[in-house]
Amino acid sequence: MKRARPTPPPATPTTSRSSPIPPLPTPPQPRHSSKKHQKIIFQPTNWAPVNLTQSELSLPLTFPTGQTFRWKQTGPLQYTGSLGRHLISLKHHKNGDVYYQIHHSPSQSAAKSALLSFLNTNISLTEMWHGFAAADSRFAELAQHFKGARVLRQDPLECLIQFLCSSNNNISRITKMVDFVSSLGDHLGNVEGFEFHAFPSLERLALVTEQQLREAGFGYRAKYVTGTVNALQSKPEGGVKWLESLRKLQLQMVIDSLCTLPGIGLKVASCIALFSLDQHHAIPVDTHVWRIATTHLVPELAGASLTPKLCGRVADAFVTKYGKYAGWAQTLLFIAELPSQKALLPSVTVNEKKSSKKRGSKAQRGLSSTEEGGQQAD
């Protein structure tokens, strides 16, 4: 599944779908500021520490690896995105520590609070990884090369729409589709030639027709986006509150609830659960994760065809090995499978992977292929 991972960003009165629908704006193009937006350009001001070392948060191992498609690289070791109506940049200082800069926000304190929540700063990655390393010598080896690969805590609606776009898709196209949706939200500013927007509200998304999305290149996913938006709007408590309420449920109930929405299957539901709904032991199973599992956790499944039932066995194997934060362990193991990261691995690990390729080839048939940098883009 490309968890659909690399690179990579409210509220209008409720309007019925029969109301006049304004034309969709052209998605913002990186490094080309439109005349419409040129007046809102933010220059660097002061940077403040997030109080996370590089071992706790590596920006290059977190943002361009398929968890989100809304954050853009706006400088060396610097990434920028929006959290609600807050436009924020993150970068590594010379010593590796992470600093942040607020470009635009109605409240500086609210922006920092949103950032800390988004980064899951209440969870110690170093402490967690010590436990993983003690349980798995292979994880201990890989962790030396991929320190700071952190799981994000995204807004559930944002995360859901992004992963609807990821289904059977490649990273470049997913990013264009997500940029298009993002451009429907309020403009927040320009950073290093990139235009940034608040993610559109559910009410704004409800104004978009399936035909408009198809014309924007969404293909068959267009009906899933509009269908899911309609389904969310029909929730008695409101779609946004319904999604947020899933954070309080058990994982299986979360998965089952998400799978009632159009276009969402087990893999996409697991991605949404892990990256936005506090389900830290959710395991999205794609070709990479299947290969990892059949090579190191459940070798008896090598050569089998992946089915929903076997997805469950793979997920259980991860949880048995790594515990309640198994999704975080799987994230590191997934990143280590990306072609862009192989050069960082010792030769013994690379050779081990090559030797297992033949064993897993049969099982990979019928699974959607993944482009480098995307875990779980279906």
Side-chain angles (χ1 to χ4, degrees), residues 287-362:
T287 54
H288 296 298
V289 176
W290 173 253
R291 183 164 53 243
I292 292 167
T294 55
T295 301
H296 301 285
L297 298 178
V298 280
E300 66 273 17
L301 296 182
S305 296
L306 186 58
T307 64
K309 184 176 180 180
L310 291 187
C311 279
R313 285 189 60 182
V314 167
D316 289 343
F318 271 95
V319 174
T320 298
K321 187 76 169 180
Y322 301 107
K324 65 180 183 179
Y325 287 99
W328 290 58
Q330 174 259 325
T331 295
L332 177 280
L333 297 174
F334 167 81
I335 290 172
E337 290 282 305
L338 298 178
S340 61
Q341 304 300 332
K342 290 177 186 175
L344 300 178
L345 298 176
S347 58
V348 62
T349 306
V350 175
N351 291 334
E352 177 188 67
K353 180 180 182 300
K354 288 181 178 178
S355 67
S356 67
K357 184 175 181 180
K358 186 175 181 181
R359 284 181 289 163
S361 60
K362 182 179 178 182

Side-chain angles (χ1 to χ4, degrees), residues 41-232:
I41 299 178
F42 300 99
Q43 300 300 327
T45 54
N46 295 327
W47 291 84
V50 181
N51 295 323
L52 290 175
T53 64
Q54 192 166 5
S55 293
E56 284 290 332
L57 172 61
S58 167
L59 301 177
L61 291 177
T62 299
F63 286 101
T65 49
Q67 294 188 56
T68 177
F69 299 92
R70 300 196 67 228
W71 284 67
K72 309 297 183 183
Q73 184 168 3
T74 50
L77 298 179
Q78 177 179 317
Y79 294 83
T80 302
S82 63
L83 300 174
R85 300 193 64 78
H86 316 294
L87 179 58
I88 302 173
S89 285
L90 293 166
K91 75 172 181 179
H92 284 289
H93 191 265
K94 293 179 181 178
N95 65 1
D97 290 355
V98 180
Y99 280 64
Y100 74 98
Q101 177 185 111
I102 300 173
H103 300 283
H104 171 82
S105 174
S107 166
Q108 300 283 303
S109 60
K112 183 176 182 180
S113 178
L115 177 63
L116 297 181
S117 173
F118 175 68
L119 296 176
N120 267 317
T121 55
N122 62 316
I123 297 174
S124 170
L125 190 63
T126 305
E127 182 179 325
M128 181 195 303
W129 280 21
H130 280 317
F132 294 158
D136 182 1
S137 59
R138 180 170 178 269
F139 185 97
E141 179 187 358
L142 293 174
Q144 298 177 47
H145 306 279
F146 302 111
K147 293 180 179 179
R150 176 171 284 272
V151 169
L152 300 171
R153 186 177 191 258
Q154 301 178 58
D155 174 83
L157 177 62
E158 263 184 63
C159 190
L160 184 155
I161 297 298
Q162 289 183 80
F163 281 99
L164 275 177
C165 294
S166 79
S167 180
N168 295 309
N169 212 345
N170 62 60
I171 297 303
S172 175
R173 190 178 180 196
I174 297 167
T175 302
K176 290 179 180 178
M177 291 163 65
V178 171
D179 283 349
F180 190 92
V181 173
S182 298
S183 71
L184 302 176
D186 292 340
H187 183 249
L188 299 181
N190 175 299
V191 178
E192 296 298 328
F194 291 92
E195 305 293 349
F196 291 92
H197 300 75
F199 196 77
S201 65
L202 188 59
E203 290 77 16
R204 177 63 184 95
L205 291 173
L207 299 178
V208 184
T209 66
E210 179 183 334
Q211 183 59 34
Q212 286 176 307
L213 292 178
R214 286 185 177 276
E215 291 173 358
F218 281 62
Y220 69 87
R221 301 166 198 83
K223 65 182 178 183
Y224 294 145
V225 173
T226 56
T228 289
V229 168
N230 286 336
L232 289 174

